[in-house]
């Protein structure tokens, strides 16, 4: 429907010689200066509302440097690099927080399955963006969230200590960590928790690594 209604807009932008990118009703138009942008925004608002009888969302419309705006979850930097918009990263983290809530009462396997369902599609969507650094940080943060979940599922200090020992942590270190009283988030970052629930441990338990998935999509 948007393509039918906005075909006239595309033709008008092409007629004026503007560089633009539109998907459905989301459109970015690229000009050389702030002043030019103000003129184009005003004239196109008039064109859309008077000729096409469409209402422009003034709250979402703006004139700004290209690297300050986002388009379909991406941001275009001044050097032409395409990256993931900060808002998109925050939304992804909010979704991961929902899945890894420590009081959900679901199995660890289900948590990993739900994460994979979300992150595989999310990473695939952003496969054209420059994102290795962002995904490396997100992988690390997500593993820490999962360590919190797994430790919380063990509940008691004795159970946590036994769990850590089963994963190769020395007995004294296991008990020291289990009884530290630091809280789940801090405990999840201890050397004992990181050693027990290593990157390889997560792979063995089926967690898809975002950076690995991204690199595969580049080939």
């Amino acid at each position: 429907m948007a393509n039918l209604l906005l075909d006239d807009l595309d033709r008008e932008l092409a007629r004026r010689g503007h560089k633009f990118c539109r998907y459905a009703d989301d459109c970015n138009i690229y000009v050389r200066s702030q002043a030019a942008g103000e003129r184009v925004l005003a004239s196109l608002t008039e064109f859309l509302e008077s000729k096409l009888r469409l209402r422009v969302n003034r709250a979402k419309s703006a004139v700004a440097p290209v690297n300050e705006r986002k388009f379909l979850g991406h941001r275009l930097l001044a050097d032409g690099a395409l990256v993931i918009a900060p808002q998109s990263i925050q939304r992804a983290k909010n979704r991961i927080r929902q899945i890894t809530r420590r009081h959900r009462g679901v199995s660890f396997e289900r948590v990993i399955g739900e994460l994979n369902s979300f992150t595989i599609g999310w990473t695939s969507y952003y496969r054209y963006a420059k994102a290795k650094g962002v995904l490396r940080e997100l992988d690390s943060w997500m593993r820490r969230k999962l360590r919190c979940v797994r430790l919380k599922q063990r509940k008691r200090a004795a159970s946590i200590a036994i769990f850590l020992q089963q994963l190769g942590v020395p007995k004294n270190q296991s008990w020291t960590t289990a009884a530290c009283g630091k809280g789940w988030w801090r405990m999840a970052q201890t050397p004992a928790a990181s050693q027990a629930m290593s990157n390889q441990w997560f792979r063995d338990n089926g967690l898809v690594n975002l950076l690995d998935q991204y690199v595969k999509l580049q080939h």
Side-chain angles (χ1 to χ4, degrees), residues 29-215:
I29 303 164
Y30 305 100
V31 296
R32 293 185 179 276
S33 68
Q34 182 77 17
E38 299 289 353
R39 290 195 300 271
V40 170
L41 178 60
S43 64
L44 286 178
T45 299
E46 173 67 19
F47 174 81
L48 287 165
E49 295 188 338
S50 297
K51 184 171 182 179
L52 301 187
R53 306 294 182 183
L54 298 173
R55 182 178 297 175
V56 175
N57 188 330
R58 286 170 170 76
K60 291 185 177 180
S61 301
V63 178
V66 64
N67 61 339
E68 293 180 9
R69 301 293 290 174
K70 66 181 182 68
F71 184 65
L72 303 178
H74 295 78
R75 190 159 61 106
L76 187 64
L77 302 184
D79 63 359
L82 188 69
V83 298
I84 305 174
Q87 302 94 318
S88 302
I89 297 169
Q90 188 58 52
R91 282 196 296 271
K93 294 183 80 170
N94 290 341
R95 178 64 183 133
I96 292 169
R97 285 190 183 98
Q98 291 177 348
I99 295 172
T100 58
R101 289 197 312 272
R102 296 192 291 275
H103 302 288
R104 289 188 64 199
V106 299
S107 69
F108 192 67
E109 292 74 17
R110 178 173 170 181
V111 172
I112 287 181
E114 291 181 11
L115 278 176
N116 288 343
S117 294
F118 168 69
T119 60
I120 289 173
W122 190 83
T123 306
S124 178
Y125 179 80
Y126 290 105
R127 64 189 179 276
Y128 298 117
K130 185 178 180 181
K132 285 186 177 180
V134 166
L135 295 178
R136 187 178 291 108
E137 292 178 7
L138 196 56
D139 270 323
S140 178
W141 179 81
M142 186 167 62
R143 285 192 297 267
R144 188 174 175 185
K145 295 288 289 181
L146 286 169
R147 290 187 186 105
C148 285
V149 172
R150 196 68 189 97
L151 291 169
K152 177 67 168 59
Q153 288 178 337
R154 304 300 296 193
K155 296 182 179 179
R156 303 181 188 280
S159 180
I160 292 172
I162 292 170
F163 171 69
L164 294 175
Q165 290 173 59
Q166 290 173 340
L167 294 176
V169 179
K171 183 176 180 180
N172 288 345
Q173 189 180 4
S174 296
W175 277 101
T176 299
T177 301
C180 68
K182 290 183 177 180
W184 304 115
W185 182 245
R186 292 182 64 190
M187 190 187 297
Q189 200 180 26
T190 59
S194 297
Q195 176 187 337
M197 292 173 279
S198 64
N199 294 4
Q200 187 58 52
W201 182 84
F202 281 111
R203 288 190 179 94
D204 293 343
N205 279 273
L207 180 68
V208 172
N209 182 280
L210 276 66
L211 183 56
D212 290 348
Q213 178 74 9
Y214 173 82
V215 170

